[in-house]
Amino acid sequence: MITHGDDLLISGAWLLGIGTLAGAIGQTRQTLTGTNLGKDLVLKGNGIEAVGNSLQAIGRSKMLNPENERSETYFIFGAWLEAIGNIANAVGIDMQLSGSEEEGTRTDALGSGIQGLGAAFEAFGASLTEESISRSFEIKGNGLIAAGSFLESVGNIFILNEKRRMGEQILLLGSWTQVFGAFILIDAFSLGPEEQPEKDKDGHNGHYSYANYYV
């Protein structure tokens, strides 16, 4: 059975995948040409990611119940942090395109750091749930997104310290790391809720019910 919250999670995951892919393609163009070519695609990608993370936060909020409140709170907080980070990235890139190169790069670096922190919160939230294949995928996916985001933050710091070539290469690595993480998350959410046997009062296996961990 698919709930409205599940629909939002899956839609958000796909938007996250599309956004990270668009950003990675744009970053690849930028790195290979050594110009701002592709930077507009990175900006659009971050905007799409922000929408995707927002949908996931809303979806998680709709699925809260007393049994999964602790883990879902980490998910919700992390998803909103990621959305804020993506918005900061988009603002920073727009500033760079408008001529405020240094200030825009600082904002972009901050946004990537916030996004990485948000993904780390989500990975931690997944670690608090019952062990399953989908949980394992979500930990790995969010872990890669966190790592990629932190790499992008480091790349921008290198650029600020006038090490542009190295910074661009780190940005490229970070962007594609996020793509892999996002598509692992799509697999995690596509698995759907898992059924587990529920014991009756006598300790025997009775009917099946959906696990508390919805992915």
Side-chain angles (χ1 to χ4, degrees), residues 24-101:
I25 293 172
Q27 185 60 54
T28 301
R29 291 179 180 175
Q30 183 179 327
T31 301
L32 292 178
T33 62
T35 66
N36 283 337
L37 181 64
K39 196 177 283 289
D40 58 334
L41 192 56
V42 178
L43 189 156
K44 292 175 182 177
N46 275 287
I48 295 171
E49 287 181 60
V51 175
N53 283 312
S54 297
L55 287 180
Q56 289 191 323
I58 296 169
R60 293 285 189 186
S61 297
K62 290 180 176 291
M63 296 161 64
L64 271 176
N65 64 61
E67 294 182 349
N68 68 0
E69 185 174 1
R70 185 185 176 196
S71 61
E72 291 297 329
T73 298
Y74 281 108
F75 282 123
I76 294 166
F77 181 64
W80 282 123
L81 273 184
E82 285 194 75
I84 292 170
N86 286 133
I87 292 171
N89 287 145
V91 170
I93 294 168
D94 185 60
M95 291 170 67
Q96 293 173 42
L97 290 172
S98 300
S100 300
E101 184 73 25

